[in-house]
Amino acid sequence: MPTKRDYYEVLGVDRNATDEEIKRAFRKLAFKYHPDHNHTDGTAEKFKEVNEAYEALSNTDKRAAYDRFGHDGAGGVFGQGFEGFDFGGFGDIFDAFFGGATTATRQAPQRGADLRYGITITFEEAAFGCEKEINISRTEYCSSCRGAGSKPGSQPARCSNCNGAGQVRRSQQNIFGHFIHTAACSKCHGEGTIITDPCPQCRGTGKEKRQRNIPIKIPAGVDDSSQLRLGGEGLAGLRGGSSGNLYITLSVLPHELFTRDGDNILYELPINFAQAALGAEVEAPTLNGKTKLKLPSGTQTGKVFRLKGHGISHLQRGGRGDQIVTVVVVTPQSLTKEQRQLFQQIAKNL
């Protein structure tokens, strides 16, 4: 079992700290580590530790026992405050200090969630751009009630519990004093109205699922894992909020001849000994078809040629990259009797 930290160290105060200094330190740390306010890992344990330390040091008798006997003082009276601590009390304090922002957010229009979709395209489609069409299922506003939830021609009724305010107020006493807590109405869930005659098409939800065919224009120059954003093509929002976005992630298939290096295309051109030694005019494949390439005599393996403008289209500007052609002199694996004699004759003269 891990050793408990010193309570004064937990609160960050001196052993001679006054009750007011201890309370002030606790308030600061309680707000910092409260699980409703801070969702990072380990927060709950830190809040438990802070609460336990304050419970001990805020009580005169418990503090005296702790100062004399440590964590075992007064028959083990420490470390029992977290399980029974009223988290709701802190929720009230947050609302009182921050003006009930949580409640106001619940009533305001909310943007819809984003959708994600993956598309696979060819190497050529990535280089030159293309158009695709996808079919997705998504939640949209009901086409009958336009998202209102009520049957067309009817109106929702004012909530009798909050009188249409969407909020209820209650008084609460806690360790920080007396506060007026404003919370979302439990009957209308902060809406202020209740649907009494729901739309038969969406059953009062204001939404329905639809299949949609969406055209996608993929620009020239995209790469593997590139992402496109289609604004407003995601899920419908709440209370009239805007729809989310649709994010398209692209997967580019490899090419049988070419590889990509940024906006340049890499290609290895195989030639034979005669072409390398004597020089030759050969054809090199590109994305635009075959093009002529003149090899000088004495061309070695690894010799690089650059074909200007035969690469990938630049995504953010005009023009294209280049095609980098690397020559590879291929050694024959088998020779005819005549070829062998010719190579032997050449070897004698080298």
Side-chain angles (χ1 to χ4, degrees):
M1 186 174 180
T3 303
K4 286 187 176 183
R5 292 171 62 203
D6 180 81
Y7 286 151
Y8 291 99
E9 179 185 343
V10 170
L11 296 181
V13 297
D14 187 79
R15 285 189 168 271
N16 296 322
T18 64
D19 291 344
E20 184 58 33
E21 288 173 334
I22 290 174
K23 180 182 288 188
R24 189 161 54 245
F26 170 64
R27 285 183 180 181
K28 181 179 178 181
L29 294 173
F31 277 107
K32 180 178 180 180
Y33 294 122
H34 192 280
D36 287 347
H37 178 62
N38 189 331
H39 302 289
T40 56
D41 292 341
T43 296
E45 288 302 318
K46 290 180 180 178
F47 181 80
K48 176 180 178 180
E49 185 180 47
V50 168
N51 179 57
E52 183 178 309
Y54 179 71
E55 184 184 26
L57 301 184
S58 62
N59 182 284
T60 303
D61 294 334
K62 289 182 180 181
R63 182 178 180 182
Y66 177 74
D67 288 343
R68 186 174 181 184
F69 302 107
H71 290 292
D72 295 326
V77 296
F78 310 116
Q80 302 173 17
F82 181 74
E83 289 79 1
F85 196 85
D86 180 11
F87 283 95
F90 270 98
D92 300 340
I93 296 168
F94 292 146
D95 282 344
F97 281 0
F98 301 129
T102 302
T103 302
T105 301
R106 264 196 298 269
Q107 290 181 317
Q110 293 182 17
R111 179 179 172 276
D114 295 329
L115 289 177
R116 299 186 182 277
Y117 194 95
I119 294 180
T120 299
I121 60 176
T122 66
F123 193 91
E124 288 85 354
E125 288 173 331
F128 299 121
C130 61
E131 292 185 2
K132 298 284 186 179
E133 186 175 85
I134 63 172
N135 181 271
I136 63 171
S137 175
R138 69 185 182 191
T139 302
E140 301 179 355
Y141 286 122
C142 174
S143 58
S144 177
C145 67
R146 305 296 182 185
S150 294
K151 183 178 179 179
S154 67
Q155 295 293 329
R158 177 182 293 183
C159 175
S160 59
N161 188 49
C162 64
N163 198 30
Q167 301 174 343
V168 292
R169 295 163 61 87
R170 60 186 175 89
S171 175
Q172 177 137 355
Q173 185 77 28
N174 52 48
I175 59 174
F176 294 106
H178 182 265
F179 292 96
I180 301 298
H181 174 52
T182 302
C185 174
S186 59
K187 186 174 182 180
C188 66
H189 305 290
E191 299 291 338
T193 58
I194 295 176
I195 296 174
T196 56
D197 192 6
C199 171
Q201 184 163 317
C202 65
R203 298 181 181 180
T205 64
K207 297 180 181 180
E208 59 184 347
K209 273 210 165 184
R210 286 289 189 91
Q211 292 288 132
R212 292 291 185 186
N213 291 324
I214 300 177
I216 309 294
K217 186 173 182 178
I218 299 175
V222 295
D223 203 350
D224 192 59
S225 299
S226 291
Q227 193 174 79
L228 308 177
R229 183 181 69 87
L230 301 183
E233 295 289 358
L235 299 184
L238 295 174
R239 305 178 191 89
S242 61
S243 297
N245 298 323
L246 172 61
Y247 290 92
I248 306 294
T249 301
L250 303 176
S251 296
V252 180
L253 295 172
H255 197 278
E256 60 179 349
L257 297 178
F258 308 126
T259 56
R260 181 170 175 171
D261 180 21
D263 288 342
N264 293 329
I265 290 176
L266 308 182
Y267 172 68
E268 289 188 347
L269 175 67
I271 62 173
N272 59 43
F273 279 140
Q275 292 170 320
L278 303 175
E281 187 175 77
V282 298
E283 287 187 333
T286 72
L287 290 178
N288 299 102
K290 293 184 178 181
T291 189
K292 299 290 185 179
L293 182 63
K294 189 173 183 179
L295 304 177
S297 60
T299 297
Q300 304 292 313
T301 287
K303 174 68 176 177
V304 174
F305 297 87
R306 183 181 292 268
L307 301 178
K308 289 284 188 179
H310 284 276
I312 306 291
S313 298
H314 298 309
L315 187 60
Q316 303 296 338
R317 62 187 190 279
R320 293 171 59 180
D322 302 329
Q323 179 167 319
I324 311 301
V325 179
T326 302
V327 170
V328 177
V329 180
V330 179
T331 302
Q333 295 181 339
S334 61
L335 298 172
T336 66
K337 183 179 179 180
E338 182 181 1
Q339 289 172 334
R340 182 175 294 277
Q341 290 174 347
L342 289 173
F343 272 112
Q344 287 172 346
Q345 185 65 36
I346 294 172
K348 289 179 181 179
N349 296 325
L350 289 177

